[in-house]
DNA sequence: CTGGATCCTGGTCGATACTG
DNA sequence: CAGTATCGACCAGGATCCAG
């Protein structure tokens, strides 16, 4: 942090853009929400809470979140293995602004859809 | 709105997912931010504020935003034509949760990047 | 000046099959 | 149970040229 960085908002390294890029991937926000609601969950439990997700995509999504430090992965050394996922503090802190965006979406997306229908693009 | 819709959060029509899908497209959030900062702007003014955007992508992005009802388009009937864009009330209201997400990104993305580097995933 | 039309590339995502 | 490997479809997005 070198003081004011408003100019950075439009640099290729813009943190907002990179964050939205990730949240924009299909399953990321749903996984965060599921872990926020369910606490610590196993792989299959998580999968059940995310209708439509494939094993590969859930695995990839979780790997990204773990690498980002938003989700913690805990392996029980049993047979068969049990793997548990939960939000880290960082992940939980993201839930705050993210839930604000969710509220906005739930309140206003219907109007957006309506507008799009009239424009004939949606 | 038909009362509580928490279950909808994971339906294919989930409003949050669809909103993030749009905000996740490369230039959308930058355009919203630029219009929020600059007020009403012409196409080329907007383009200057968004380094790296191509004519096509700016055009496409603005069309989407206009169709969504987040941005208003005003054409001055001159030669050559001047086209002005500004946020609608709906678009301005989106700026509220969006700026909260920006703050989070600016405060925490560095830590995410650091975490990723250690994980060796980029 | 403000776009539209076209072509092309890379990455996201899904289906399927296989493994410890 | 919890992944990994591979293949292919699809589309966002960039380059370029053209038009009102």
């Amino acid at each position: 942090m070198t003081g004011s960085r408003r100019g950075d908002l439009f640099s290729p390294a813009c943190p907002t853009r990179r964050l939205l890029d990730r949240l924009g991937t299909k399953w990321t926000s749903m996984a965060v929400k599921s872990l926020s609601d369910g606490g610590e969950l196993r792989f299959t439990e998580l999968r059940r809470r995310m209708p439509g997700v494939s094993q590969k995509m859930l695995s990839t999504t979780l790997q990204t979140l773990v690498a980002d430090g938003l989700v913690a992965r805990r392996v029980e050394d049993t047979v068969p293995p049990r793997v548990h996922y939960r939000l880290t503090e960082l992940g939980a802190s993201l839930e705050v602004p993210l839930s604000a965006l969710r509220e906005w979406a739930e309140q206003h997306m219907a109007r957006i859809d309506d507008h799009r229908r009239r424009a004939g693009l949606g």
Side-chain angles (χ1 to χ4, degrees), chain A:
Chain A
M1 302 301 168
T2 58
S4 172
R5 311 184 69 198
R6 276 180 305 181
D8 286 359
L9 286 174
F10 301 123
S11 78
C14 166
T16 302
R17 196 153 122 191
R18 305 212 336 281
L19 176 63
L20 284 170
D21 200 48
R22 279 167 204 219
L23 294 179
T25 64
K26 194 164 186 180
W27 303 103
T28 302
S29 63
M30 190 187 289
V32 171
K33 170 71 170 155
S34 297
L35 289 171
S36 178
D37 287 349
E40 192 174 58
L41 295 172
R42 293 175 55 185
F43 187 89
T44 304
E45 287 173 340
L46 201 42
R47 203 184 165 192
R48 248 199 314 272
R49 284 166 180 260
M50 297 167 63
V53 72
S54 66
Q55 285 170 345
K56 174 192 168 183
M57 289 317 298
L58 180 54
S59 180
T60 301
T61 300
L62 288 171
Q63 281 172 17
T64 300
L65 288 169
V66 168
D68 285 348
L70 296 170
V71 166
R73 184 177 186 270
R74 179 171 69 84
V75 183
E76 259 186 81
D77 199 13
T78 58
V79 177
R82 297 181 182 183
V83 185
H84 303 259
Y85 295 91
R86 62 176 172 78
L87 289 183
T88 61
E89 275 189 41
L90 192 60
S93 77
L94 174 58
E95 252 295 299
V96 178
L98 196 49
S99 71
L101 208 65
R102 271 194 214 99
E103 277 189 38
W104 190 96
E106 290 173 21
Q107 287 173 18
H108 301 293
M109 277 305 283
R111 194 191 311 188
I112 287 185
D113 288 338
D114 190 47
H115 206 280
R116 283 189 73 81
R117 256 184 289 280
R118 284 183 223 162
L121 288 171

